[in-house]
Amino acid sequence: MAQVLPAPPLVAAVATVTAAPRRFLPVLPVLALVATLALPVPGDAGGGGGGTVADAVSGLVVLCCALRLVRGRRRPLTRTAAVVLAMPVVGVALATAGAASAGAGAAGLVRYLQIFVLVPAAVVLLVRDRRDARLIAWSLVTLALWQGAIGVHQYVTGTGASYQGEEIRAVGTFGPTDIMGMAAVVSFGLVCALGLALGSGPARHRAVAAACALALLLPLAVSFSRGAWIATAVTCGAQLALAGLRRAVQVFAVAAAAAVVLVGGLGVGTAMLQERMSSITQVAQAPDQSVTDRYTMWAAAVDMWRERPLTGVGLKGFPDHRDGHASLALSSGSDTDGAGAGFHRQPLLSPHNMYLLVLSEQGLLGLLALAGSWLALLVRGLRRLVRARRSPDGPDCALVACGMLLWQLVDFAYADIGGPSTVLTALVLGLAAWWALAPEGAGER
């Protein structure tokens, strides 16, 4: 019998490279969704009034997932996963029936199903193991570095969005009408980088991830987004605590040193930035107009819920009922300017709090269904994270998935869905659901 000789190293390397695209083919639609968020956003899409390229690609993600299921004749989801992911449908369906108009109800139904049901379920089915999850995490870090670099350039050159009369607010490619877009992208990238750095992968990979996390602190700072700062601080603190006390102390020391360099050496600690930071603890004593508007809209949302406690005022109903429940302290809108766009008066059409938006439009039933789904993902994800700490594969994917979900849940206290960056929420929920709901033993490579 002829002896089988091993392939030459060059042939083996070429075979590995050519096989890589096929290996990651199922997750490529998810990576394409991330890539679309690096593109400039048209001026008329920033306010969330119409569909974006990212919305279209999210539809392709769902379509690719459906085609893959049909071709492979696979069972779509486990019973537990189907129940948890389908819970938001209950409240959304009831609120659609109570909408003021059929058109508004249909638009709201499609949006909620896209962000909270269909795209997350597609991500669960397209992500097969830890390698896919790590690839998505690194793609989010890359996107954050890209958007962050643009944001820092806007801050340094004075070409960003207007903030206190100066065009210095970093918004990346999202424009002044979606000022939370770049902050969310950079925050997710930072959370992913920290989770990868706290894992048990190769030392070189962990060092690169740690360097990326430190680099993203600067664009996050110059985004002037208090909600993103709070959510990131809470999430990173939780990641460090879950990774172990020793690592928490080490990372805290490095972060403190980086803060000293940024503030003292690079001059990031401008008076405006310091004032913005100090305003976090002064919102109840001397709130600015944006905080006053937010408190007023929160009170209006609660008043709407009291009027219809079980089912709310219907999907897309907050703008129509706002003036009847808001006090005179509410301004007519917020001013947006800079970052390549002209002056625009943006109306305040949501309470900027996802929980109160759902409570006012979908009632207690809708909030329990939606928040119950998120809580189930968080609890199951944390339980698997504890077990992953003792696994030879390490807790990096768990820290990334649970960290991004925790960031989103904290940020929902200061923001709601809307704008081109909203598809990231669907991706975050999908990745968290993959980690929390995958069958035991799945995704352990």
Side-chain angles (χ1 to χ4, degrees):
M1 179 180 293
Q3 183 179 4
V4 178
L5 298 177
L10 180 60
V11 176
V14 172
T16 302
V17 172
T18 55
R22 292 195 298 271
R23 162 69 184 81
F24 294 109
L25 185 61
V27 81
L28 284 182
V30 182
L31 299 179
L33 179 61
V34 176
T36 57
L37 295 173
L39 302 175
V41 176
D44 57 348
T52 64
V53 176
D55 291 324
V57 176
S58 70
L60 291 178
V61 171
V62 176
L63 179 60
C64 291
C65 177
L67 293 176
R68 185 167 178 266
L69 290 177
V70 172
R71 289 186 58 187
R73 298 180 180 179
R74 295 176 51 197
R75 180 181 178 181
L77 295 168
T78 64
R79 183 177 301 176
T80 302
V83 170
V84 172
L85 290 174
M87 284 175 63
V89 177
V90 177
V92 174
L94 291 175
T96 302
S101 67
L109 175 66
V110 170
R111 189 61 162 171
Y112 273 87
L113 292 181
Q114 173 202 6
I115 302 302
F116 299 117
V117 181
L118 297 178
V119 176
V123 173
V124 171
L125 295 168
L126 293 175
V127 177
R128 297 161 299 167
D129 51 38
R130 290 174 182 259
R131 285 178 292 182
D132 287 351
R134 291 189 184 105
L135 185 60
I136 295 174
W138 278 111
S139 70
L140 288 171
V141 173
T142 304
L143 173 65
L145 291 172
W146 166 252
Q147 291 287 357
I150 297 175
V152 171
H153 178 267
Q154 292 170 335
Y155 173 79
V156 172
T157 60
T159 56
S162 178
Y163 177 75
Q164 293 188 1
E166 297 186 37
E167 296 184 356
I168 58 172
R169 188 167 193 171
V171 292
T173 63
F174 293 98
T177 55
D178 187 18
I179 56 174
M180 278 293 296
M182 190 214 74
V185 168
V186 170
S187 299
F188 285 135
L190 198 157
V191 170
C192 288
L194 183 58
L196 293 169
L198 295 174
S200 57
R204 182 177 60 181
H205 294 177
R206 288 187 283 114
V208 172
C212 292
L214 291 175
L216 290 172
L217 290 175
L218 178 56
L220 180 61
V222 296
S223 70
F224 292 94
S225 174
R226 291 172 294 200
W229 292 346
I230 295 172
T232 303
V234 171
T235 302
C236 291
Q239 285 179 303
L240 292 172
L242 292 169
L245 182 60
R246 180 185 303 177
R247 285 189 175 181
V249 172
Q250 293 174 346
V251 174
F252 178 79
V254 174
V260 171
V261 172
L262 289 175
V263 175
L266 301 180
V268 176
T270 63
M272 287 186 179
L273 187 58
Q274 293 174 359
E275 180 184 350
R276 188 70 166 174
M277 289 182 177
S278 63
S279 68
I280 294 176
T281 59
Q282 298 173 353
V283 292
Q285 299 173 353
D288 56 30
Q289 186 58 47
S290 64
V291 175
T292 300
D293 287 339
R294 185 161 301 187
Y295 284 168
T296 303
M297 290 188 293
W298 288 2
V302 172
D303 201 37
M304 293 179 201
W305 166 68
R306 288 172 178 167
E307 186 177 284
R308 300 181 186 179
L310 287 181
T311 58
V313 297
L315 286 186
K316 299 288 186 178
F318 183 88
D320 296 333
H321 293 78
R322 183 198 64 181
D323 293 340
H325 296 270
S327 68
L328 296 178
L330 182 66
S331 64
S332 60
S334 60
D335 298 336
T336 62
D337 196 5
F343 177 83
H344 177 68
R345 187 72 173 172
Q346 192 169 1
L348 303 174
L349 302 179
S350 72
H352 295 291
N353 181 305
M354 191 64 203
Y355 305 107
L356 292 180
L357 176 64
V358 174
L359 187 66
S360 62
E361 293 188 345
Q362 301 180 36
L364 192 59
L365 293 178
L367 181 62
L368 290 177
L370 198 59
S373 174
W374 301 337
L375 183 60
L377 293 181
L378 184 62
V379 171
R380 290 180 62 93
L382 290 176
R383 289 176 57 187
R384 292 195 65 185
L385 188 154
V386 174
R387 294 195 296 268
R389 291 177 57 181
R390 301 186 292 267
S391 169
D393 293 312
D396 54 348
C397 292
L399 290 171
V400 168
C402 295
M404 289 201 298
L405 177 60
L406 179 60
W407 187 96
Q408 189 65 78
L409 295 183
V410 174
D411 184 69
F412 270 161
Y414 308 95
D416 47 47
I417 57 174
S421 60
T422 299
V423 293
L424 267 183
T425 299
L427 176 58
V428 166
L429 294 175
L431 200 59
W434 164 79
W435 174 255
L437 302 174
E440 291 296 331
E444 296 299 326
R445 290 175 289 172

